[in-house]
Amino acid sequence: EPEVTQTPSHQVTQMGQEVILRCVPISNHLYFYWYRQILGQKVEFLVSFYNNEISEKSEIFDDQFSVERPDGSNFTLKIRSTKLEDSAMYFCASSEAMAAHYNEQFFGPGTRLTVL
Amino acid sequence: QKEVEQNSGPLSVPEGAIASLNCTYSDRGSQSFFWYRQYSGKSPELIMSIYSNGDKEDGRFTAQLNKASQYVSLLIRDSQPSDSATYLCAVNMFGLTGGGNKLTFGTGTQLKVEL
């Protein structure tokens, strides 16, 4: 069964450093997403991406964040200068389409980001 | 502020019983509704989607949607210890300007199925 994969599973970084989180969405999916979940809190939307463009972003997704589809399979989230409050689990998700009945989002296993 | 509300629990049910999980949402424009299961330290796993008023059954799971009441529920029949997890309700506002396809999640209800 096709699945979303993410690397690394755990990333530890120093405050102010740049990190890149990587995702491989399900191969026939066209819509890609990043969410995050701070420990003990709800899952929060960060950004959605379609046709090589950001289609929607949340208030969390400020200038420190960027996303890219560098090739036909990978989808990345970059945090330019990490802050302590960026420590969270980051989930990548993908969906086949946006229309109802095709917009089920499937989540990857996540990357736990720890900022020291 | 568009919200999705769930009782955080824990909801404890004996093995074999029916577990009933509830969710309300604030935005009447919401179009798609999902239930995810999340084990501790793991990612959300999609278990049910529902788009129309009424019931949708899949194995031991039944999702119920009432758009007039802005209410979604999940019933788990014959609950098993392996069902013990946090159940997340997620709502999508596809179709409205600016709604895109983002999911708004509730805080989740922790379910404990006891032997």
Side-chain angles (χ1 to χ4, degrees), chain B residues 21 24 29-30 33 38 49 60 66-67 70 77 79-80 94 98 100 107 111:
Chain B
L21 304 159
T24 58
S30 300
F33 306 86
Q38 187 176 33
S49 59
R60 294 187 298 114
N66 184 326
K67 288 186 179 179
Q70 296 174 240
R77 288 181 298 283
S79 295
Q80 301 297 310
F94 168 73
T107 53
L111 174 66

Side-chain angles (χ1 to χ4, degrees), chain B residues 96-107:
Chain B
L96 298 184
T97 301
N101 204 31
K102 73 176 185 183
L103 293 178
T104 301
F105 282 83
T107 53

Side-chain angles (χ1 to χ4, degrees), chain A residues 25-95:
Chain A
I26 294 172
S27 61
N28 66 328
H29 285 189
L30 301 178
Y31 292 80
F32 315 124
Y33 315 86
W34 285 101
Y35 292 82
R36 79 173 186 187
Q37 187 175 31
I38 295 169
L39 188 63
Q41 297 187 23
K42 64 174 70 175
V43 176
E44 300 175 290
F45 169 79
L46 293 178
V47 65
S48 58
F49 190 86
Y50 169 70
N51 198 26
N52 280 320
E53 289 185 343
I54 290 174
S55 48
E56 188 173 5
K57 60 183 181 180
S58 71
E59 293 173 354
I60 303 168
F61 195 89
D62 61 22
D63 292 344
Q64 294 300 312
F65 291 86
S66 62
V67 289
E68 191 179 29
R69 180 116 161 115
D71 53 44
S73 59
N74 289 284
F75 178 51
T76 63
L77 174 69
K78 180 192 291 186
I79 310 175
R80 289 189 183 82
S81 178
T82 50
K83 301 188 279 281
L84 294 175
E85 55 264 38
D86 293 328
S87 295
M89 195 76 157
Y90 288 79
F91 296 112
C92 175
S94 69
S95 68

Side-chain angles (χ1 to χ4, degrees), chain B residues 16-54:
Chain B
I18 296 175
S20 177
L21 304 159
N22 304 313
C23 170
T24 58
Y25 58 96
S26 64
D27 200 313
R28 287 193 173 274
S30 300
Q31 300 284 323
S32 305
F33 306 86
F34 306 92
W35 284 98
Y36 287 84
R37 176 173 63 199
Q38 187 176 33
Y39 293 110
S40 181
K42 301 296 185 182
S43 63
E45 175 193 4
L46 180 67
I47 53 173
M48 289 289 287
S49 59
I50 187 165
Y51 303 93
S52 305
N53 283 327

